[in-house]
Amino acid sequence: MNTLVSPAVADATPHRIRIFTPGRIAAWVVLAAMLVITLAPLWMVVKTALMHSADVYTESAQILPTDPTLANFKRVLGFMTGDESRALGGSGAEINFMRSLGNSLLFTSIIVVTQVSFAAMAAYAFARLRFPGRNVLFALFVGSMMVPGVVTFIPNFILIKDLGLLNTMVGMVAPFCLMQGFSVFFLRQFFLSIPRDLEEAALLDGASYTYIFTHVVLPLSITPLATIAMLTGINMWNEFFWPYLVAKDEVQQVLPVALQSFKSQTAQGQPDWTGLMAATAITVMPTILLLVVLGRRVVESVQFSGGK
Amino acid sequence: MADPAPRSPHALSPTRRSETLTAWALVLPALIGFVLFYALPTLRAIEISFTDWNLLRAPKFVGLANYATMLQDGKFWQGMKLSAYYVALNIPLQTVLGLFLAVAMDRLTKSLFVKSIVLLPYLLSNVLVAMMWLWMLDPLLGLVNSLIDGIGFERQPFFGGADQALLTVAAVNIWRHMGLVAMLFLAGLQNIPRNLYEAAALEGASEWQMFWRITLPLLRPVMVFVLVTSVTGSFQIFDTIAVTTNGGPQDSTRVIVYYIVQNAFSFYKMGYASAMSMTLCIAMMIYTVFQMRVMKASENDLA
């Protein structure tokens, strides 16, 4: 199954010439409504994050903040003491979002760099080199995609615990950084499409396979490497379950885990909505930024990943 | 590569030997990862499912006892039922809305801006999405309830109501996944040759007929992919529930994966949790094979 976008086909003449048919107008209205429904929660997050805690009860339904303040952002980023924040009506929950932000960045970048490198190495071997057991091993790698997480997380948790790696960065990244079936599969598909002539010329010149991999194949593969790095990055930035299991400790928490525990701290009575929404807004920011900077690439990568 | 001197066919030439060595060296890190975190854990999960183990004492072999307990456990069946119910709520609406969005975008706009907005919810984590909607749907202060109140209806508890909590979780996840589904369908739509539509239009086919006779049948491979991945994904829902309802109110959202995680990490019944996860895994594999068979996934009408 292959669902690559092909612009040549997309740009062909539309089969309808009329532009303002009732059907089209209706479709536009529904599409616009869906876009509003998509954006409304995000707007409410930002708006609430800019509100004073005390105003939550009176102005929660307003579309614009009446008296915007940055206090909530200061609070969650740790530029304000617990006492100061309580005085402003916050929960005084002292979650250090800067630290979690750092953890998340480290967690994500370790996995992206290692997983993509190891996947590229394995994918090249599977695509171009002959070795005994190649096909069986590749089938097993691809088969690993079919095993649902719910099966492996208990043994993996026990393994990490036995190794004494609970609450460590190594324990958090371990199951993701060495191997991910999809990354190997995806890169192998691309390597197979590189013309063999290029490598054979290098081989005749006496180049080793390692040299060909690093000097011929990798430079030709910047786009697929970037695609798989981005997909891995998005998934890992959002990963909640595994870090939640192995690194509940505050010092090691990644953003989604910190956000969840920030929310649980205020379980008594009404949550600290303005603080929570400021934290949410901070966590959303990198994704929005990614879309603004690399929009087309992100959209195409996600479509691509579905085309496996 | 040409060898300088012919050898016996069984001995590897130096070039071949170095090729094999290089290959194994390149595969090694991924192989270690595969063995340590996929292959052995899968086998170990099977093994653990035959034991009684709370992590403190040594595991005790109990044969099929966990599976027998499971069949008698009302909460297990309840969890399975809730998961199935959740999938039944989630998938049809998500697929239809995604398909609608895809067709609308295909016809109306190529705007990257629109595509980015459509895809945005999927790029956010489950935790973030849950947090946003917890606020939007808050019974007292949430925007949605203010609107409902404003037009004269009764405020709804949403996540807090036993009869509507699971429905609310489903709605939130439809919001998150609709755009992804739309993007996958859109990619599929753009592979359908436009001249098919032109020919149909010349024959006087209506818009509606073209959708049912051309678009939908030719989208079948994408449809299979979307259904298989979204159904198995929905069956594993956990994050949203962990943030919003914790299985409540009155166990109304204690879906099977939530119950498995509770057994493993709150009650420390590793064996029992593993037995349930093996069962869930087998159920999903049967579903996947069934779905691919029924929809003849490997055949392509465009070829």
Side-chain angles (χ1 to χ4, degrees):
Chain A
M1 181 165 57
N2 188 356
T3 53
L4 296 188
V5 189
S6 86
V9 176
D11 288 334
T13 33
H15 63 272
R16 279 289 156 110
I17 302 123
R18 278 176 297 162
I19 293 171
F20 294 107
T21 63
R24 277 181 85 89
I25 294 168
W28 262 116
V29 171
V30 181
L31 182 62
M34 282 170 122
L35 295 182
V36 169
I37 292 169
T38 304
L39 288 176
L42 287 151
W43 173 246
M44 289 309 284
V45 168
V46 176
K47 180 231 144 189
T48 310
L50 292 171
M51 279 166 57
H52 295 276
S53 306
D55 295 342
V56 160
Y57 296 92
T58 50
E59 297 176 10
S60 62
Q62 258 148 33
I63 301 302
L64 290 171
T66 34
D67 176 22
T69 168
L70 288 175
N72 301 303
F73 288 100
K74 286 187 191 154
R75 206 142 63 76
V76 293
L77 288 174
F79 294 128
M80 209 181 255
T81 65
D83 287 336
E84 280 176 315
S85 98
R86 261 185 295 274
L88 285 168
S91 65
E94 298 197 34
I95 281 277
N96 191 336
F97 264 82
M98 281 304 218
R99 189 173 54 205
S100 302
L101 188 71
N103 288 341
S104 266
L105 283 171
L106 190 63
F107 173 78
T108 307
S109 35
I110 291 176
I111 293 171
V112 168
V113 171
T114 51
Q115 193 196 111
V116 174
S117 315
F118 297 148
M121 284 157 54
Y124 176 67
F126 284 128
R128 282 294 197 262
L129 303 181
R130 287 162 299 173
F131 60 101
R134 180 179 74 172
N135 295 339
V136 177
L137 199 57
F138 182 66
L140 285 172
F141 273 32
V142 173
S144 73
M145 285 192 271
M146 309 291 171
V147 182
V150 69
V151 170
T152 47
F153 73 73
I154 294 173
N156 277 342
F157 175 81
I158 294 168
L159 176 70
I160 293 301
K161 183 176 165 288
D162 287 348
L163 292 172
L165 294 174
L166 288 186
N167 285 315
T168 66
M169 187 52 79
V170 178
M172 274 200 277
V173 300
F176 306 105
C177 70
L178 293 169
M179 152 51 200
Q180 201 66 203
F182 179 70
S183 305
V184 178
F185 176 83
F186 176 90
L187 289 174
R188 176 180 169 271
Q189 289 299 99
F190 181 81
F191 293 160
L192 284 173
S193 72
I194 298 176
R196 259 179 194 275
D197 306 0
L198 287 168
E199 292 156 86
E200 266 156 23
L203 270 179
L204 284 177
D205 288 343
S208 70
Y209 287 109
T210 326
Y211 183 88
I212 294 171
F213 174 58
T214 52
H215 286 75
V216 180
V217 172
L218 286 186
L220 286 173
S221 313
I222 300 299
T223 310
L225 287 170
T227 300
I228 201 71
M230 196 164 55
L231 288 172
T232 309
I234 292 169
N235 285 333
M236 289 301 121
W237 184 258
N238 291 331
E239 175 66 23
F240 168 71
F241 188 66
W242 181 253
Y244 169 76
L245 277 191
V246 305
K248 284 198 175 126
D249 194 82
E250 240 183 66
V251 183
Q252 293 297 336
Q253 279 175 349
V254 292
L255 276 176
V257 179
L259 204 57
Q260 203 265 358
S261 75
F262 187 49
K263 185 229 145 202
S264 335
Q265 282 187 2
T266 56
Q268 316 299 321
Q270 245 338 300
D272 166 17
W273 284 119
T274 55
L276 210 48
M277 288 305 122
T280 304
I282 294 167
T283 318
V284 171
M285 227 63 96
T287 310
I288 308 250
L289 211 65
L290 185 76
L291 263 184
V292 170
V293 178
L294 293 170
R296 185 169 301 281
R297 181 113 292 167
V298 177
V299 170
E300 282 171 5
S301 301
V302 173
Q303 288 182 325
F304 216 97
S305 71
K308 64 181 173 181
Chain B
M1 288 297 94
D3 279 329
R7 287 156 200 271
S8 94
H10 294 291
L12 288 178
S13 67
T15 347
R16 281 301 300 278
R17 197 175 305 125
S18 91
E19 184 177 345
T20 305
L21 278 177
T22 312
W24 280 109
L26 287 175
V27 170
L28 193 65
L31 181 61
I32 294 172
F34 169 74
V35 172
L36 272 186
F37 297 108
Y38 293 93
L40 288 180
T42 308
L43 297 175
R44 205 151 176 233
I46 301 172
E47 189 197 334
I48 296 171
S49 78
F50 296 124
T51 66
D52 178 12
W53 192 17
N54 64 3
L55 288 184
L56 296 173
R57 284 174 284 101
K60 195 176 95 197
F61 182 79
V62 294
L64 290 169
N66 286 323
Y67 292 91
T69 313
M70 185 182 84
L71 296 177
Q72 305 283 314
D73 181 357
K75 287 175 184 161
F76 165 76
W77 290 110
Q78 174 71 4
M80 279 297 216
K81 219 175 77 188
L82 286 175
S83 289
Y85 180 47
Y86 172 79
V87 170
L89 286 171
N90 204 358
I91 302 303
L93 209 55
Q94 177 177 306
T95 312
V96 169
L97 287 173
L99 187 58
F100 171 83
L101 261 177
V103 173
M105 282 192 291
D106 187 42
R107 290 298 174 78
L108 301 176
T109 173
K110 290 198 191 74
S111 154
L112 181 62
F113 179 67
V114 171
K115 284 182 189 170
S116 302
I117 295 176
V118 167
L119 195 57
L120 180 60
Y122 172 70
L123 301 176
L124 306 175
S125 70
N126 285 318
V127 176
L128 268 176
V129 169
M131 215 64 86
M132 288 177 186
W133 282 102
L134 213 51
W135 172 228
M136 292 289 283
L137 299 174
D138 185 78
L140 287 173
L141 307 171
L143 180 69
V144 175
N145 264 317
S146 303
L147 293 175
I148 291 176
D149 204 18
I151 54 172
F153 289 95
E154 211 174 308
R155 285 174 178 267
Q156 299 295 317
F158 293 112
F159 292 114
D163 54 342
Q164 51 182 265
L166 197 62
L167 197 71
T168 308
V169 175
V172 167
N173 278 305
I174 290 170
W175 180 83
R176 178 166 182 261
H177 286 106
M178 195 169 70
L180 170 71
V181 173
M183 282 304 155
L184 298 178
F185 279 135
L186 184 62
L189 285 173
Q190 291 176 343
N191 275 346
I192 299 176
R194 298 283 146 156
N195 55 19
L196 285 180
Y197 293 104
E198 280 155 24
L202 284 177
E203 308 256 324
S206 71
E207 202 71 21
W208 198 240
Q209 281 172 324
M210 285 192 255
F211 176 78
W212 285 103
R213 301 278 173 79
I214 301 175
T215 310
L216 211 51
L218 290 180
L219 275 181
R220 201 187 57 207
V222 189
M223 186 69 88
V224 180
F225 175 78
V226 166
L227 284 178
V228 168
T229 53
S230 60
V231 168
T232 51
S234 290
F235 241 103
Q236 294 182 71
I237 172 148
F238 173 83
D239 299 2
T240 315
I241 288 172
V243 177
T244 55
T245 64
N246 284 311
Q250 290 134 54
D251 295 346
S252 63
T253 59
R254 188 156 64 185
V255 294
I256 187 63
V257 172
Y258 197 83
Y259 188 51
I260 294 174
V261 172
Q262 257 187 337
N263 269 283
F265 301 103
S266 303
F267 316 147
Y268 297 103
K269 291 182 181 174
M270 295 296 164
Y272 190 45
S274 295
M276 288 192 288
S277 68
M278 289 312 305
T279 309
L280 180 64
C281 172
I282 292 164
M284 290 194 317
M285 283 180 172
I286 292 172
Y287 164 75
T288 303
V289 172
F290 178 76
Q291 176 87 65
M292 307 261 265
R293 279 277 168 81
V294 167
M295 294 190 74
K296 300 191 190 85
S298 52
E299 288 171 31
N300 189 342
D301 297 332
L302 283 175

